[in-house]
Amino acid sequence: MLVLGCLDRLLFGASPTVYGVLFLPVCALTAVWVRRGDLLAAPVVVPNAFVVGLLPLAGGDEGFKGRLVGLVTALAVQAGWLYGGTLIAGAIGLVRRVRFVRRRRLARLRPPA
């Protein structure tokens, strides 16, 4: 997300809409590519990646406090993208987890051949 944030700033002038639209497929890919043992971690990691990617896009005055205020403002304004991406990652992770648990139960119930 940091790379996408930098590309957004470079190519699109720090467009928050472009960043949000790019964030959604990244959330889906994260939930699809994560290991089975870490399926429930996907919805936790995605918001952290969103914040890291917002760093190059967040406005604000020079200095630490100005950048922090810009980041918090950007998070507040872009909360819809953040919630949507987290929901996507959570839903995909939950579906994958349920399928994994069902397969494991069926394998235990089948008698060995």
Side-chain angles (χ1 to χ4, degrees):
M1 286 311 302
L2 181 62
V3 170
L4 288 179
C6 291
L7 285 174
D8 180 20
R9 183 179 181 119
L10 181 68
L11 299 175
F12 301 105
S15 171
T17 304
V18 171
Y19 180 73
V21 168
L22 293 173
F23 176 66
L24 297 179
V26 168
C27 293
L29 289 173
T30 300
V32 168
W33 286 341
V34 73
R35 296 179 318 155
R36 285 185 201 154
D38 297 331
L39 281 173
L40 299 179
V44 176
V45 172
V46 168
N48 295 334
F50 186 82
V51 172
V52 170
L54 264 181
L55 289 174
L57 304 178
D61 298 331
E62 293 297 320
F64 178 73
K65 287 183 183 179
R67 296 291 279 174
L68 185 62
V69 168
L71 181 63
V72 170
T73 303
L75 279 170
V77 173
Q78 302 304 319
W81 295 112
L82 178 60
Y83 294 149
T86 305
L87 182 64
I88 288 170
I92 292 172
L94 185 62
V95 168
R96 284 188 62 205
R97 178 72 179 169
V98 167
R99 289 179 61 201
F100 173 65
V101 169
R102 281 186 183 166
R103 269 191 248 137
R104 192 170 46 178
R105 280 189 187 155
L106 286 175
R108 263 191 297 165
L109 293 176
R110 289 184 190 154

